[in-house]
Amino acid sequence: MNYPKLKALKYKLIIPLLVFLFGTGVLCVVIYKISYTNQERVRDKAALNAVSYADRMIADLNNGITITKSLEQIIISENGQIEHFEKVAENMMTDSIQSIQLAPGGVVTDIYPEKGNDTGKIDLINDPSRGEIARYGRDNNITVMQGPFQLKQGDVGITIRNPVYLENESGDKYFWGFTISIIRVPEIFSDSVNALEDFGYYYRLSKTLSPLTGEFTEIYSNCEEFISPVTYQFELGGCSWKLEVTPKDGWHADSQTTTVFIGGFIILFLLTGLTYALMVLQANGIILQNLSSTDNLTGLLNRNGFQEHLTKYMKKHSNEHCVCIALDIDDFKFINDLFGHSTGDKALCILADTIRSSFPKNSILCRSGGDEFCIILKNCTCKDAKAQIEAFTDMPRSFIASNQTQSFNISVGYAQYNPDDGSVEQLLIDADTALYNVKIKGKHECLEFNPNMNKKIRTPLGFALSDISKNLPGAFIIYKADKKDDSILFANKEMLNLTGCSNFDELIDYTGRSFRNIIKEDEREAVEENIWKQINALENDNNDYLSFSLKRKDGTVIPVLDHGRLINSRHYGNIFYVFIIDHDLVRKCLN
């Protein structure tokens, strides 16, 4: 038996097993913590909703109390009388009010509407079921509620009785009677309960029958069984009210526990497998080889990997033709500057995907650096590959930025390796020379190398929009050349200083992104008309200076000169590039 190999195998299995067991323990703790935290969060949210909607219910119930208080004020002001009671009550009626009543001396004499409610004309003080509560409200001078009870009309109601006291000629207060409103439930707080249901809650509203009992009676609910509800209690009309709320989906609603559990175990299995793979790869040195030859972003070969694969290929196939393709993204610096490097990375990955799908699998594919790519098509000539390369060049490509689809193009140069008189080094130079000539001609094209091409060495300056604009000795702004949409796209530091803003976001907040908002209000229409008049009569791609008053963020205005140019952008259509010059500063320099 080969004991060293068996020992190595056990070592490779034990370590991943320990990783799995340890990871399982950590995952269980994380899941418990997430579950507990989520349940607390859901309960806190439910409690907050219970308080919020209970407050709304209190406000709804107070509308019924307000009716009795308004009647009380009329009675006091009219010394115990209400003329035209039916008219007054009619104006106070709402959809949730069953009836409005007057009970001088505790005896109900006036009811609106009387039809269907006339049986309510009773002696409240001496009534067997109402007398004790009525006397309690009278003796303590407090508004009391009684119910719920079944109305004659089949609905459920709650009575609100407000005792009214008047003063006699001696200034002593005496009991006049009750002003009463009977409200229908749950109609009076239908908006609140409907909102709770729409937000995914079961609810139950209960109250004590009267101020004289502590026993709760259910008024309305949308569920028979409640599991550990949150409860909010409040006092109103001498009674205790209780609103119970529980989520329809349970207290683990919106929980991420299942997702974390599944994702955690997937990650755990992957981690365990990766641990084992890393141990194997570490022994074989494969992982180091891959890292040294592959581009991390696109998954294509990097420069070192490309050179290694090309060298191996040429040693075995030095007598075969092959084609080298050099390409890059047009205006890649513009993409990075305008949309950010992460978006630029997306464009690189999209291009890499089209390279993989467009050329044979045995091709050598490389991202040589930045936005530059190199491809070796094996065992073919430029004539063989021409149609394929042209189709690849013209292929539409786009990425998503700022919720809009932005297209981008590439430039391609290619050259052929001839076994009789060629070299690998010269092949790469020829392909790059062809690409350089595409750039000279205007980009977005593919060209085959020929010896008559301009062979000037490519020496890009390396300037970027941010480098140039940041250091411009003047205020510079870019905005859309559209009468209906003059959105500001860019402003340099000098422009921010001129408007009194500390950063670009502050400028956007101040102007609402509109260029016209930096123009003084009473000059906007004339200035915009002048700008478009100059643009419509544009000659030699230039326009004259324009003077207007620039409105700064602090409200002050300064006279400025505007000198701009209309540019057609592939990404934004027509845009203005504009220099803004402080007019007083120019005048001072001239003097």
Side-chain angles (χ1 to χ4, degrees), residues 366-397:
C366 162
R367 178 191 174 199
S368 51
D371 64 322
E372 296 178 354
F373 294 78
C374 194
I375 303 168
I376 298 295
L377 302 181
K378 299 177 181 179
N379 193 25
C380 70
T381 64
C382 287
K383 182 179 180 180
D384 299 332
K386 180 178 180 181
Q388 187 178 23
I389 296 172
E390 289 176 349
F392 170 74
T393 303
D394 294 334
M395 182 183 299
R397 298 173 179 85

Side-chain angles (χ1 to χ4, degrees), residues 60 186-196 203:
D60 294 334
E187 285 87 346
I188 194 166
F189 30 72
S190 59
D191 289 342
S192 300
V193 295
N194 289 338
L196 277 172
Y203 56 85

Side-chain angles (χ1 to χ4, degrees), residues 51 89 99 167 185 204 225 243 251 385 413 471 514 518 526:
V51 173
S99 67
E167 290 185 1
V185 292
R204 178 167 56 203
E225 183 178 356
L243 177 62
W251 292 112
N471 298 293
S514 174
I518 69 172

Side-chain angles (χ1 to χ4, degrees), residues 65-83:
I65 295 175
T66 299
I67 291 174
T68 65
K69 295 293 185 181
S70 298
L71 291 171
E72 177 185 8
Q73 294 302 315
I74 296 173
I75 291 169
I76 293 173
S77 65
E78 295 184 6
N79 196 24
Q81 301 295 322
I82 293 185
E83 294 184 4

Side-chain angles (χ1 to χ4, degrees), residues 105-146:
V107 178
V108 178
T109 60
D110 299 274
I111 300 177
Y112 182 87
E114 186 170 6
K115 184 178 180 180
N117 297 304
D118 51 353
T119 57
K121 292 183 177 181
I122 58 175
D123 183 354
L124 296 174
I125 300 298
N126 299 303
D127 185 78
S129 61
R130 301 171 179 83
E132 186 178 12
I133 299 169
R135 291 190 296 272
Y136 176 85
R138 177 197 65 185
D139 297 340
N140 292 278
N141 192 15
I142 61 172
T143 301
V144 295
M145 292 184 176
Q146 185 176 4

Side-chain angles (χ1 to χ4, degrees), residues 283-301:
N284 298 329
I286 297 175
I287 188 170
L288 293 176
Q289 182 179 358
N290 287 339
L291 289 174
S292 64
S293 62
T294 305
D295 175 55
N296 291 332
L297 178 64
T298 63
L300 303 180
L301 295 172

